[in-house]
Amino acid sequence: MSLARRHREKILAAQHAAAVLDFVAAVPDAAPLPASGINVSSAADRAAAQIALRLTHDLRRLKEIKSIDLKIAAKREMLPEYRDWVAGLIAADAGVGTGTAAEVLPTVMVWLIDTASYADALDLVPFMFAHRVAMPSRYQRDPATIVVEEIADAANKAQGAGASFPLDILDRVADLTEAHDIHDEVRAKLFKAIGTEELTIAEDMEAGPAARARLTVARNSLREAHRLHSRIGVNTRIKKAEKLIAANLAAFPPEYEQRGDDAA
């Protein structure tokens, strides 16, 4: 895609979102808008129809792919085609429009998670929450649930295979979704991932007060995961964290910390 076309799509997306907002405000009892947006002839409207057609085509292509790995590769290839449309919507800060075009931004968010572009996906979340952007019906979940569950599942899968997962991403998910009502079993997955990552980090630290603080955070996160869902599978990790905390306290009791402060 040329730079000129990318710039044009970004501007037209902003214009389309703003036009939809103005139309709804002016005619609150109007009938539902057609899939391409407002029933007027405009470059922004035509662009909305084109982006909707592109999404329909790409979804059909993905449905025909059987392999999960190939689906992810295809999504990674498709995503740049939507980047500037999404950027235009964010810049306009007026919602996502209507019809199939309105499905572009939430779909892009999911594809970014699927392709492990977690930070980019989370950049879209505040906009989605602020404008109450609905997920397309094919996802069968609300945005907060999808963000928590999909990223927590990815983290737990990586950790189960002995790999690490970015703790800053998990913490950001927790912060963004803290006030949202989601199922306890889903949120438990997030606390399990956070606790597991904290525990792994603490184990690699030199023994002392800093490591004990990290172990305490790990234990508390794992306990919260168990409280929310008793079958989440964290009992072994909780016992491990408690054992390490006890050993740490024996080697570096609180009075040791006080002596260290006095010496400083």
Side-chain angles (χ1 to χ4, degrees):
M1 185 187 298
S2 69
L3 289 176
R5 179 182 166 189
R6 290 177 59 183
H7 179 71
R8 179 174 64 85
E9 285 205 355
K10 182 176 180 179
I11 297 302
L12 291 175
Q15 290 176 349
H16 176 72
V20 169
L21 188 68
D22 290 343
F23 181 84
V24 172
V27 192
D29 297 324
L33 298 174
S36 61
I38 302 168
N39 190 21
V40 295
S41 177
S42 69
D45 232 18
R46 290 193 297 274
Q50 290 170 0
I51 202 76
L53 184 62
R54 180 182 300 165
L55 179 62
T56 300
H57 172 271
D58 286 346
L59 289 173
R60 187 178 298 117
R61 177 185 165 195
L62 288 170
K63 192 173 183 180
E64 294 171 352
I65 299 173
K66 299 180 180 66
S67 164
I68 297 297
D69 288 344
L70 291 179
K71 282 182 185 287
I72 292 173
K75 290 174 183 178
R76 191 173 285 115
E77 175 189 318
M78 295 168 180
L79 277 166
E81 296 297 319
Y82 299 94
R83 182 180 297 124
D84 294 288
W85 180 263
V86 169
L89 295 175
I90 299 294
D93 198 23
V96 293
T98 59
T100 304
E103 298 184 7
V104 170
L105 188 141
T107 299
V108 164
M109 183 199 72
V110 174
W111 289 1
L112 287 168
I113 294 174
D114 291 342
T115 57
S117 298
Y118 304 115
D120 291 338
L122 294 179
D123 285 344
L124 303 181
V125 172
F127 175 92
M128 292 184 64
F129 287 169
H131 293 281
R132 299 182 180 181
V133 177
M135 296 301 303
S137 59
R138 61 184 174 275
Y139 291 112
Q140 300 180 328
R141 289 168 292 172
D142 60 273
T145 298
I146 285 181
V147 169
V148 172
E149 189 160 33
E150 294 300 320
I151 294 182
D153 281 348
N156 286 313
K157 181 179 179 181
Q159 293 162 345
S164 62
F165 193 89
L167 184 58
D168 61 320
I169 293 296
L170 296 173
D171 286 340
R172 193 175 172 196
V173 171
D175 291 341
L176 285 169
T177 62
E178 182 179 12
H180 290 258
D181 180 23
I182 64 176
H183 291 293
D184 290 344
E185 293 85 353
V186 173
R187 199 176 295 279
K189 294 181 181 182
L190 179 60
F191 278 109
K192 177 182 180 180
I194 291 172
T196 299
E197 201 62 39
E198 292 277 13
L199 182 58
T200 300
I201 293 170
E203 288 182 282
D204 290 336
M205 294 174 64
E206 184 177 348
R212 185 164 71 244
R214 178 80 73 172
L215 287 167
T216 302
V217 172
R219 181 198 61 192
N220 292 346
S221 297
L222 294 168
R223 281 179 174 176
E224 181 64 5
H226 183 268
R227 185 188 72 81
L228 291 170
H229 184 37
S230 60
R231 297 184 179 180
I232 193 66
V234 294
N235 286 332
T236 300
R237 291 183 178 93
I238 292 173
K239 291 176 181 178
K240 184 176 186 179
E242 290 174 341
K243 182 177 180 180
L244 291 172
I245 290 170
N248 195 299
L249 276 169
F252 301 94
E255 55 267 27
Y256 171 88
E257 297 177 45
Q258 185 62 46
R259 288 198 303 273
D261 292 340
D262 292 341

